[in-house]
Every structure is written in C-alpha cells, then in structure tokens.
Amino acid sequence: MSTDSDPDAELALAAVARFGLGSDAAVTLCNVSENHTYRVEDPTSGARYALRVHRPGYRSVQEIQSELMWIDALHADGTVDTPRAIVSSDGRRVLDVATGELGPRSVVMFEWLDGVAPDLDAGDAAARQFEILGAISARMHEHVRRWDRPDDFRRPRWDYQSTIGPRGHWGLWQDGLGIGGEERRQLERLEARIASRLRVFGEGTDRFGLIHADMRLANLLVDGERVRVIDFDDCGFSWYMYDFATAVSFMEDHPRVPELREAWVRGYRSAGELEPAAEAELQTFVMLRRLLLVAWIGSHHTFAPEAAELGAGFTAGTCALAEDYLSTN
C-alpha cells in the first residue's frame, strides 16, 4: 500500500513485521476515530488481522494491557465472542513502534472476525440482533460482578465528570459544532436534568462497574445468529445501562429505537436481572451519550471523517431530542 497520504501507514507496515508477517502482507486503512485501524492480509497463510495504531496520549500502555486482561477473562468464561490479541515475535501483545516521521505509537494486532454491522432496515432481524445484544450485555455485566480484577488493572471512568462534566475525555459539549445561544441554553437544561437524575440513581456496585462503553453498530458483527463484540478500546467504569446508550450511538432519533430498546431489555432479562429503576433511566443514559457525542464531534471533526460528516446537524438533532426528554423526564 502507498504511505504517501497516511504517515501512520508506514508505522503500520513496520508493526506488521514485528508480528512476524512478511513484507508482502497487504495493509489497508479501515477506520480513523480515536485510533487508526488497518485490515492486514497475509498472502502466505491466508490469515487476516485487525491492526490498531493508537493515538498518542489517549491510552497508556497499562490501560491497553488492562483491556487485553479483560478480553482474556471474557474468553476464559465464554462470555462473549470477541477477537484475541496476537502475540508478536518477541512475545508481547502491546508494541511501541516508531518510524522516522512519527514518534512511538502503541500498536496491537487482533484476530479478524467475519460479520457485518446490524442493519436497522432488516425488519425483525434487527430486533432479534438487539435482543441477542441485550443478553450479551447482561452476561458481560454479571461476569464483571464476579471477576477478581488484577491489582494493576487500569481503565478510565465514564461518569458524569468525565463525560459531559468539566473533565470530559472528549472535551466540552459547549465546544461542539453549531452551538449558538439558543442551543447552549437548551443543552444546559439537558445537562442539569441528566446530572440530577444520575445523582439520585447513584453509583452502587449493582449499577456501576466495568463495561464495554462503545457498543455502537460499527463495533458489532452479525454472523448468522451470532452477534460478536469488537473494539474494547473505550472499556471502562460506568453505569451498566450506559452500554445500551452506546448501542444506539449516532442514531438516537431513529424511529426504531423504542422497538430496539424493548428488544434489548427483553434479551437482558433473559440472561440477567434488570431492576425497574435501571430500565427507567435508559433514556437518561441515551441523552448522556448523545451530549458526550456533541463534545466528540467538536473535538474530532478535524481528523475523524465521521465527526466531520455529522457536523452541526448533530447538535440540532440533539436539541430536538433534548426537548422531548425534558418534557417527559
């Protein structure tokens, strides 16, 4: 592949060699968000991989290693189908790779899993997929409640302060695109209502723990009746119900969301307990996530194509959703 327009591509090619693949391996850019993700094809073995080149400063090596610890534990329990990390030629799974143009980047390579993202236009199949996803979420949450985490386990928090509060991981929603005086006033009311409800709901261990935190459609792979979960890069500590909110990211106003929420809840209850108080706050977590994504677009639109495409229209849609939420909660 050409590396002229993507400096990270040269680094990706260097990383592939560290994982024992030959110079004839094909490396293709798949996605740019927090990180650069590449599809790697080895013509010798026919194997395929997903190579993740981390954005500097977003995740520490210890946080990345902790992500892999949880994936290992989920595999050991048979809780979820998700790709395993590949061990490099020198026995490591998290590499520091640098090139002449770029400084050191953390790199991880995973197995490639087949499947396609859920399709909301797939009729009853979409609801069935969300029902399966609800059951997967319940099993993951139950696993976390039982798991004895290693002492050196480190992952970020996705609480109020670190999402839409002053210490937001993705900046301030006030710096989002298309925010004028009217939008700011509307979203300030939304933030205050969310904060109030979250204070009442609390962070008890039955409601708050380690979650995937980014189960949006792009991170789900449907293969027949199987729904696989990929990309644990944002996994961290938050409310368990936040996992549903992430599953409807960027499509919170889609007319099928109420139906999909019912399917998710039905699936969740088939595999675990879901208290009525938690179900009652699902829309609060949807709005928390939506406001966080306004901040994400504001801080990422200059380098993440998806953020640039959503633009100021996403803020306008958020204000419409806020009006409905404030009138009913």
Side-chain angles (χ1 to χ4, degrees):
M1 65 175 287
S2 171
T3 62
D4 294 342
S5 60
D6 179 13
D8 289 81
E10 181 182 352
L11 189 143
L13 288 170
V16 165
R18 296 270 298 277
F19 283 102
L21 275 64
S23 59
D24 57 347
V27 180
T28 307
L29 182 65
C30 294
N31 183 58
V32 178
S33 183
E34 298 306 329
N35 312 303
H36 284 61
T37 303
Y38 296 86
R39 175 179 171 136
V40 179
E41 298 177 87
D42 180 11
T44 302
S45 66
R48 293 171 295 166
Y49 307 95
L51 184 78
R52 189 172 70 194
V53 178
H54 283 258
R55 175 163 64 88
Y58 188 61
R59 293 282 176 257
S60 69
V61 171
Q62 185 59 47
E63 287 176 327
I64 300 168
Q65 290 173 337
S66 297
E67 171 196 351
L68 302 185
M69 291 177 195
W70 190 30
I71 290 173
D72 290 343
L74 289 167
H75 272 290
D77 277 3
T79 302
V80 65
D81 194 358
T82 189
R84 298 176 185 270
I86 305 300
V87 178
S88 69
S89 302
D90 58 2
R92 292 184 294 164
R93 297 190 296 180
V94 183
L95 303 181
D96 278 341
V97 183
T99 63
E101 186 172 349
L102 293 176
R105 301 285 180 91
S106 294
V107 177
V108 183
M109 191 158 77
F110 294 92
E111 301 169 319
W112 184 273
L113 293 184
D114 289 322
V116 296
D119 180 3
L120 296 191
D121 296 324
D124 292 342
R128 175 58 183 156
Q129 290 158 6
F130 265 73
E131 187 172 346
I132 295 170
L133 180 60
I136 290 172
S137 299
R139 292 197 299 270
M140 291 176 65
H141 299 163
E142 181 58 30
H143 160 89
V144 165
R145 294 183 179 104
R146 300 190 317 266
W147 185 38
D148 185 15
R149 292 194 304 273
D151 291 340
D152 57 349
F153 188 90
R154 301 288 184 271
R155 291 301 302 177
R157 286 176 64 90
W158 294 97
D159 55 14
Y160 166 75
Q161 295 292 337
S162 57
T163 53
I164 60 175
R167 296 193 298 274
H169 292 305
W170 293 334
L172 301 175
W173 65 259
Q174 291 89 341
D175 295 329
L177 303 183
I179 294 184
E182 183 176 348
E183 289 81 7
R184 179 183 290 267
R185 287 187 292 272
Q186 176 78 313
L187 297 182
E188 284 175 345
R189 291 176 57 220
L190 172 64
E191 180 184 355
R193 185 69 54 84
I194 292 171
S196 174
R197 294 189 73 98
L198 291 180
R199 280 195 297 271
V200 173
F201 189 66
E203 296 182 7
T205 56
D206 57 334
R207 296 176 173 179
F208 194 100
L210 180 62
I211 66 169
H212 182 279
D214 196 19
M215 283 190 178
R216 59 196 180 101
L217 298 191
N219 290 333
L220 305 175
L221 296 176
V222 177
D223 185 12
E225 279 291 296
R226 304 172 73 180
V227 177
R228 294 160 160 165
V229 182
I230 63 174
D231 195 0
F232 281 64
D233 182 47
D234 279 337
C235 71
F237 296 94
S238 188
W239 294 274
Y240 291 117
M241 292 301 99
Y242 183 71
D243 264 342
F244 169 75
T246 68
V248 295
S249 293
F250 303 114
M251 61 174 198
E252 297 88 348
D253 53 356
H254 194 285
R256 294 201 67 184
V257 166
E259 173 194 358
L260 300 178
R261 180 172 59 240
E262 290 180 5
W264 189 91
V265 167
R266 187 165 59 249
Y268 198 101
R269 287 204 165 106
S270 74
E273 294 185 7
L274 178 58
E275 59 172 333
E279 181 181 358
E281 294 301 337
L282 283 174
Q283 192 60 22
T284 297
F285 291 112
V286 169
M287 296 311 300
L288 170 70
R289 173 70 169 184
R290 180 81 184 201
L291 197 51
L292 170 62
L293 292 176
V294 171
W296 180 80
I297 290 169
S299 60
H300 286 62
H301 70 279
T302 58
F303 63 88
E306 186 176 17
E309 182 178 347
L310 289 164
F314 192 83
T315 298
T318 304
C319 289
L321 285 168
E323 183 62 34
D324 181 66
Y325 173 80
L326 290 167
S327 67
T328 55
N329 291 274

